[in-house]
Every structure is written in structure tokens, then in C-alpha cells.
Amino acid sequence: MKKNLLMLVCSALAVQSGIAADSPKGPVNTGRLAATSAKANPLLAASRLPYGFPEFDKIRNEHFAPAFDIGLKQHSAEIKQIAENKASPSFENTIVALERSGRLLSRVETVFSNLTATNTNPVLEQLSVELAPKLSAHQDQITLNGKLFERIAALYQQREQLGLDAESLRLLERYYTDFVRAGAKLNAEQKEKLKSLNSQLATLGTRFSQNVLKETNASALVVDSREELKGLSDSEIQTAAATAKSRGLDGKFVIPLMNTTGQPLLATLENRQTRQRLYEASVNRGSHGGSFDNRQVAIDLAKLRAERAQLLGYPNYAAYGLQSETAKTPEAVNNMLGQLAPAAVKNARAEAAELQKLIDAQQGGFQLAAWDWAYYTEQLRKARYAFDDSLLRPYFELNNVLENGVFYAATKLYGITFKERKDLPVYHPSVRVYEISDRDGKPMALFIADMYARDSKRGGAWMNSYAEQADLFGHKPIIANHLNIPQPPAGEATLLTMDEVRTAFHEFGHALHGLFSKVRYPRFSGTNVPRDFVEYPSQVNEMWATWPEVLTNYAKHYQTGQVIPQNLLDKVSAASRFNQGFATTEYIAASLLDQRWHQISADAIPSDALAFEQQALKQMGVDFAPVPPRYRTTYFSHIFGGGYSAGYYAYLWSEVLDADTVEWFKENGGLTRKNGDWFREKLLSRGGSIDPMESFRQFRGRDPKIQPLLERRGLQ
């Protein structure tokens, strides 16, 4: 049983549902679905395409339900055979057997969960809701199987005498720990209670995520006149008009919402009323009534998680969740965030004072509000650094960024090369596929680039795997990166912001973690590491976005081909710490809010989600109105719909390691094969096969230091 099955409900089915763009739509007919011929179902056999690439052109909505049914039955039979094996438990007939089990279910779940995040439709949304409790029950059937746990526990007790290699010993220990944390030691009555909680949590998590997607689409800002969009480029206005037309609103303009509280166009919209409307559309998501309201869903999720943690012997959910992270305890997370929050808010208030001076100098006649921050920050940036972020965009054309930036840096560092494959079927016309060859020239993986936003795709940016490296099966990786870049009108270039460029490098850092995995067992492959470590390699990869050799290779004017001028690069560098008070405060506020929701006991769960949020931010000293949390409760999918509950702090925790590693690269010559090979060998290839902090020490030669992070964030 692989990790993706152990965590199936909380991580995979909590995302939005969907399927290939040409799939039929309509209500789920379970009778018709169950009757689908096994021979006609492409999910029931391993794909015959290179690398086992999914047959997206053949997969239809009606294939999933019967494939899940068969996969569940097959996996249950495999588990029963392992648990009831008459032979004495051995590492091979129990632990390795578990790793080998459930391959059909895993394949179906992987395709389903990955596609439902990228191209949803009502049929698969309904199926996702129906599957959530079934898959939760299946997970419980495994982890609460007394006979199976007896075999695992017997091996665990004699683990030192089994003569296992280091990775195998760690696998045995992880299985034992995972089963205990899943309730294997509970009595019969407690197990039944746990099953009920797990089922409810699975259903609610799916509902929360689906609500966020639907509400985000429904809350897009509709604007009546071009004048209200003053400040936007002609291309942005044309995109807004095209979006409106696609929604049957000819003659109007529509601005879709992005995932975070802050919306990118707030930086350039000159009309203050339009800015306010856009901001309020964002922050009110999921909290103004209607079928997509998430206030009670969030409360119910927090209560059920707290009850589950208490049943398993923990004072709250954060204590349970953090035990398996590198942070280990809520106190460690509170200590880090508590040290950084006062300095961050102080910097944000100083930045706000500067912005207010600018407003007053222009005789604005109003106090700085959250919807003004980005707009006046851009003005201040221009005045202070003679730097306009919009000047960069012509130099950041998507294809150049990807192939001559992201891929180029990876080639220089690791010796890998890329070749586009147009012979493989994709689930959406805008998706591209590349074959990656290793430093010896041998093909090693496939990479899927899904860059554009669409209504059927969940917000944000992420990496996922369709196949994970594992010597046990001889798998080669199939890795995907997903961004949400607005797609311009047909025939126009896709020009990125600096943030979108960094995101492209960031997500490919996750991809490298999966691509370079060199482990035996699927449980440890690639990014199967603690959440507060998984962001570390991706953050390190961001450094190459502005590394001079890389930047000048991709940052070329999309019309003239001119390399980005040095004076503009100097301005980018000079402005790099600008607005860090805001950036750090919005992130810490969201992280503290996450901890607050998950560090309370079941009997202390609030009845009013927004009142609780306001009180929590005030108590933690981050209630600065011009700088709201990066995510508010009702659209905080990381923690209520995804796998980051009590773990959103992970980005900052990982950044400590990242900032220290960036210093190492700089000290050792930067973008060289020698450095890349060392980072790959000591860290990227290890996955979860050793303690992650030990892999850092082997790479760095010591424990991490926080000073580089403080300097980067201006928090000395």
C-alpha cells in the first residue's frame, strides 16, 4: 500500500473533479457506468504508450466508476491475502507485499485525482462526492485491520534482527508509525467512531474544494465600461472582453479571480471603485450565503479533525499533524512564526506609512485600504527605483521562460535535456509534453506542462505525478506542472509577470525532486517527504530565475529579440527586498490562522467562522487591515480542502533551508554541473528514504542557519 493510498482522501480527492475536455456531460448513471465492458475501459490495463503515459484520448467519464469498483475489490482481496497469510510474517510477505498491492486502484486514483484538478465537469464532480466516503472506508479497512497490524507490529518489534538495509528498515518503521497514527491500536468501539469521522471528513473536504472552485468562477468581476478598466493594457482589456463574451456577456468585461486574496490587476487598475469591487469580490468568497458558502463547512471540518485527533490521543489536530513533520510540535511552529511576526508587521506598517504619504501627496483624500496597496506600491516602486514591473513583461514570453529559462538552468546544472513530444495524447489542447533525457543521453522521464488558467481548473500552481520512480517496479517518472496564467487572445504572445516567472521555476523545482528520485520503494519516491520539507527544493530552484546567465538566456523581448537591458536588471535587483513587509505579513497571517484553527480542542470550536478569524488575527498581532491574510478561512483550500492542514507554515519553514542553500551555491560557484550533481546526489535523489534533515546535513555539512532568511526578508 503506497503513500498515495494511505493519504487518498485528504490529499487526492480533496481537489476539484474533472476529465478530458471532450467528455460528455450530464448526471451520473451508476447502472450504465457499472455495465461498462472491462475490455473497453482503458483504465483497467496499464497503458501501452511510452512510460505508461495515460491514454487521455480514450478515457471517458463512464470509465472511472467501474474502474474504481474493480480496483477496490482487487486491492481488498490483496490485503486479505497478506493479512491472512499462514506463513510467519516476513519483510517480503508483509511490507513489500503491501508496497506491491493496489496497483490498479493506484493507477485509477492517480489519473482521476490529477485530471479532476485540471479540467472539471459536473459528472466527475458528482462522482468525486460519491467516491470520497467509499475510499475513506477502504483506507480504514486496511489501516484498522487487526490481523494485518499484528504482522506489521511483529516485524517492527524484531526490526533490529531482520538484517534489513537502511531504506527497508525505514520502510518498516514508517508502516508501523502510519498504522498507529491511523488508529490501529484503538479498540473496536473507537475504530467505529474513527471510521465515521474519516468518512465525514472525506466528504466535507471534497465539498469545500468544489465550493471554492465554483465560487471563484461565480465571483468573477463584471465591468460595464472600458473606462473602469483604465490602467490595464490593451491585451488585458481584450482578454477581459473575450472572457465576458465566452460567458454570454457581450459588450461587458470580466476579470476572473485568482486563488489568493490579492488579485494581480489591483496593481494597475486606476479606478479606485473598480479596485475595491475586485478586492471585495475576492475576500467575500464563500462567506455571503448561497450554495457555495464555506463558513459552516470550515467549522465542521475543524471540529471533526479535533475530535479525530482527540480520539487518537492528541490534544488537538495540530499536535497530531505536526508529529510527522520536521517541525514535530505546535510549539516549534508557534515559536518560529512568533519570532518573525512582530518584525514583519512592523515593516508592513512602515511600508503603509510610505504609501499613505504618496496618497496624500496626490491629494487622494482617503486612508490606505487593502485594495489600494498594490496600486500605490507600484507607484512607489517606480519612484524609488525608476522601475515599472510592466516593463519586464515583454521580456518574459512563456515559451522562452520555459524552454530557455527553466529547462536551460536544469540542463546547465544537471545535464538533462528536453525534447517536445507531440505524438502523445493530452487532456486539453493547451497542454504540452516533453521527454527528458538524463546526463548520459538516455530517456528518463516525461514532463507535462499545463500553464494556462481555465474555469475547469482549480486555482494556484502545483506539481503532481502520473507515475513515480520506484526500482521495485522499474517505473520512470511522469511529472506535471500546473500554473494558472491567463491565456491571451488567439495569436497574441503570453507575457508573464515576474511572479509568474518565479512560479514556473518554483514548480519545476518540485518536478526535479520527482524526476531525480532514486529509491526502491514507492512510499519514499520523490516528493513523498514531510510537507515542511517538500517546498525546500522548489524554493531553491527559484534562484535561477534571476541568475544572470539564465536570465539573459530567456529574458528577450518577444518582438525584437533584444536581451533585457542591464540597467533594468539592476533595478530588479535593487527592488528585490521592496514590499517584503507586506509579503511576509500576509503569509504569516495565513499561517497563524491555520494554526489557530487546528490548535483548538473540539469543545472550543467556534460557531462563527469569520468572527473567529478576526479574533484570531487580533490575538496574534497580525490584524493589520491593509494587509489581509494571503488566504481567508472560506477559500483557504490548502488547509481545508488539501493536504496542508496545520501545515501552511511549511513554506517559511522550508525557506530557512532554501536561503541557506542559496548561499551554498553562491559560495561554490553557482550554476555548475558539479554543484548540481552534488545537490542531486545528496538531496534530490533521496526522497523520503532517509530522514530529510539528515539529507540536508549530508548536502550542507551542518544544520541550517536562519540568518540568510532574515537578511532576505529584511527581518534582521
Side-chain angles (χ1 to χ4, degrees):
M1 182 177 50
K2 303 159 196 62
K3 183 181 179 185
N4 64 326
L5 292 173
L6 272 170
M7 303 181 69
L8 190 60
V9 176
C10 68
S11 63
L13 292 183
V15 298
Q16 280 57 265
S17 302
I19 187 55
D22 60 348
S23 296
K25 293 179 170 58
V28 176
N29 184 327
T30 54
R32 177 175 59 83
L33 293 177
T36 301
S37 168
K39 291 183 179 179
N41 192 330
L43 293 169
L44 295 180
S47 169
R48 291 176 291 181
L49 295 175
Y51 298 82
F53 193 81
E55 298 176 296
F56 293 120
D57 55 335
K58 297 179 180 178
I59 297 171
R60 298 290 182 267
N61 285 337
E62 59 264 27
H63 294 144
F64 281 106
F68 268 111
D69 286 344
I70 295 170
L72 286 165
K73 290 175 182 176
Q74 186 180 102
H75 194 207
S76 293
E78 292 167 346
I79 294 299
K80 182 179 180 181
Q81 185 176 15
I82 297 168
E84 298 181 3
N85 190 342
K86 300 300 182 183
S88 298
S90 70
F91 182 75
E92 286 292 328
N93 71 19
T94 303
I95 304 302
V96 175
L98 284 168
E99 282 289 276
R100 291 184 180 278
S101 69
R103 295 187 69 183
L104 171 59
L105 179 59
S106 178
R107 182 171 66 246
V108 175
E109 178 274 323
T110 296
V111 175
F112 180 80
S113 63
N114 288 342
L115 287 182
T116 54
T118 59
N119 212 16
T120 191
N121 67 53
V123 177
L124 271 299
E125 286 181 353
Q126 178 59 34
L127 181 57
S128 183
V129 172
E130 294 172 5
L131 282 170
K134 291 182 180 179
L135 290 165
S136 174
H138 179 70
Q139 177 184 338
D140 288 337
Q141 178 190 16
I142 298 168
T143 55
L144 301 181
N145 185 314
K147 291 182 178 179
L148 181 59
F149 181 63
E150 284 179 10
R151 296 180 70 87
I152 296 171
L155 292 169
Y156 179 78
Q157 295 302 324
Q158 55 178 316
R159 62 191 182 281
E160 299 297 341
Q161 289 77 48
L162 297 178
L164 300 175
D165 61 79
E167 185 178 346
S168 297
L169 176 60
R170 183 169 173 83
L171 182 68
L172 170 56
E173 292 172 342
R174 286 308 309 168
Y175 263 97
Y176 178 80
T177 301
D178 288 342
F179 269 67
V180 171
R181 285 173 53 78
K185 289 187 173 182
L186 299 179
N187 62 37
E189 182 181 350
Q190 291 171 324
K191 285 181 178 179
E192 289 305 310
K193 173 65 173 176
L194 183 63
K195 290 176 184 178
S196 175
L197 292 172
N198 287 342
S199 179
Q200 294 175 72
L201 283 167
T203 299
L204 283 172
T206 301
R207 180 179 169 190
F208 187 95
S209 295
Q210 291 185 354
N211 281 351
V212 171
L213 177 62
K214 293 173 182 177
E215 176 81 317
T216 297
N217 288 334
S219 299
L221 181 66
V222 180
V223 178
D224 294 328
S225 69
R226 188 183 181 98
E227 180 62 26
E228 294 172 90
L229 299 179
K230 187 178 180 181
L232 301 190
S233 67
D234 288 341
S235 176
E236 289 169 332
I237 293 174
Q238 289 173 22
T239 298
T243 303
K245 186 175 182 178
S246 71
R247 299 188 180 199
L249 299 171
D250 288 36
K252 295 184 183 294
F253 306 86
V254 169
I255 301 175
L257 297 182
M258 297 292 105
N259 210 34
T260 53
T261 295
Q263 300 297 310
L265 296 187
L266 289 173
T268 49
L269 282 165
E270 294 182 16
N271 186 304
R272 190 169 190 247
Q273 185 177 7
T274 305
R275 293 201 306 270
Q276 182 175 354
R277 289 180 59 211
L278 179 59
Y279 171 81
E280 290 178 345
S282 176
V283 297
N284 290 329
R285 280 176 288 167
S287 63
H288 52 78
S291 57
F292 309 144
D293 196 298
N294 263 338
R295 287 174 291 184
Q296 190 60 46
V297 182
I299 289 170
D300 292 344
L301 279 166
K303 186 173 191 298
L304 291 169
R305 285 174 179 169
E307 290 178 358
R308 185 176 185 273
Q310 185 175 341
L311 182 63
L312 292 168
Y314 297 85
N316 53 58
Y317 182 83
Y320 166 78
L322 292 170
Q323 186 185 55
S324 60
E325 306 301 317
T326 63
K328 300 301 182 186
T329 66
E331 291 73 24
V333 175
N334 292 343
N335 182 56
M336 180 193 70
L337 295 175
Q339 287 186 64
L340 298 177
V345 175
K346 180 180 178 181
N347 285 4
R349 290 185 181 277
E351 291 167 1
E354 291 295 313
L355 297 178
Q356 188 64 53
K357 288 180 183 178
L358 183 58
I359 293 170
D360 295 342
Q362 297 178 6
Q363 299 182 339
F366 56 84
Q367 289 296 308
L368 173 72
W371 53 87
D372 300 314
W373 190 288
Y375 180 70
Y376 286 98
T377 291
E378 281 307 303
Q379 290 194 32
L380 189 59
R381 192 199 310 265
K382 293 175 187 177
R384 183 170 295 174
Y385 302 103
F387 170 62
D388 181 350
D389 197 48
S390 65
L391 296 175
L392 295 175
R393 295 190 66 175
Y395 297 96
F396 295 155
E397 188 273 325
L398 174 59
N399 195 61
N400 270 338
V401 171
L402 183 62
E403 296 188 347
N404 299 321
V406 175
F407 292 172
Y408 174 79
T411 299
K412 296 290 289 186
L413 267 178
Y414 307 110
I416 59 176
T417 54
F418 302 78
K419 180 181 179 181
E420 187 166 6
R421 297 272 312 245
K422 297 186 178 182
D423 59 320
L424 296 172
V426 292
Y427 54 85
H428 190 274
S430 65
V431 172
R432 302 169 72 180
V433 182
Y434 294 84
E435 185 168 40
I436 301 176
S437 295
D438 207 346
R439 51 199 171 194
D440 59 3
K442 295 180 180 178
M444 65 175 293
L446 291 176
F447 173 70
I448 299 171
D450 182 357
M451 301 289 107
Y452 289 114
R454 48 187 173 269
D455 289 348
S456 58
K457 184 180 183 181
R458 71 179 174 93
W462 69 98
M463 166 266 196
N464 62 21
S465 301
Y466 285 92
E468 294 181 322
Q469 179 275 333
D471 289 346
L472 187 66
F473 298 129
H475 285 168
K476 291 183 178 180
I478 302 174
I479 307 294
N481 276 176
H482 307 275
L483 275 63
N484 266 281
I485 299 166
Q487 189 162 6
E492 293 195 16
T494 303
L495 305 180
L496 309 188
T497 65
M498 189 72 235
D499 281 345
E500 288 167 339
V501 171
R502 288 196 186 96
T503 300
F505 277 85
H506 176 99
E507 294 306 327
F508 197 73
H510 284 306
L512 291 169
H513 205 177
L515 293 170
F516 290 149
S517 175
K518 191 172 177 55
V519 299
R520 175 167 173 77
Y521 303 110
R523 173 67 174 79
F524 295 141
S525 182
T527 56
N528 289 332
V529 297
R531 289 171 303 185
D532 55 8
F533 191 82
V534 75
E535 296 299 333
Y536 158 48
S538 56
Q539 290 171 331
V540 169
N541 205 58
E542 290 181 37
M543 72 178 289
W544 309 117
T546 53
W547 194 262
E549 180 183 351
V550 179
L551 191 61
T552 55
N553 195 64
Y554 76 83
K556 298 179 180 180
H557 198 283
Y558 77 105
Q559 291 175 320
T560 68
Q562 177 192 7
V563 175
I564 190 168
Q566 184 60 47
N567 68 325
L568 189 54
L569 292 179
D570 292 340
K571 292 174 183 178
V572 172
S573 178
S576 62
R577 292 186 186 176
F578 183 69
N579 206 41
Q580 277 299 306
F582 174 92
T584 308
T585 299
E586 70 157 0
Y587 171 78
I588 289 179
S591 300
L592 287 167
L593 183 61
D594 170 29
Q595 291 302 314
R596 183 64 176 151
W597 272 111
H598 292 109
Q599 288 186 23
I600 52 178
S601 59
D603 58 3
I605 298 296
S607 58
D608 186 328
L610 297 189
F612 174 80
E613 175 183 292
Q614 184 178 7
Q615 181 185 30
L617 295 173
K618 183 175 182 179
Q619 289 176 342
M620 295 177 295
V622 289
D623 58 329
F624 184 38
V627 186
R630 185 170 176 80
Y631 299 97
R632 295 191 68 195
T633 296
T634 51
Y635 50 91
F636 206 162
S637 291
H638 283 76
I639 68 168
F640 287 117
Y644 277 77
S645 46
Y648 191 65
Y649 74 94
Y651 292 91
L652 194 56
W653 188 276
S654 294
E655 195 179 347
V656 174
L657 310 180
D658 155 40
D660 201 1
T661 299
V662 168
E663 291 304 307
W664 179 89
F665 272 103
K666 291 178 179 178
E667 292 165 2
N668 288 277
L671 189 75
T672 69
R673 274 291 305 280
K674 180 180 179 182
N675 288 344
D677 287 347
W678 181 256
F679 192 50
R680 174 178 177 173
E681 177 191 347
K682 296 298 181 183
L683 202 137
L684 294 177
S685 67
R686 302 295 185 85
S689 63
I690 68 171
D691 178 84
M693 292 309 297
E694 179 58 29
S695 66
F696 177 87
R697 294 184 194 100
Q698 290 185 15
F699 159 72
R700 191 66 168 103
R702 58 165 172 75
D703 287 332
K705 295 181 179 179
I706 197 173
Q707 190 60 30
L709 171 66
L710 299 178
E711 293 175 359
R712 174 191 290 183
R713 293 264 179 174
L715 299 176
Q716 296 96 324

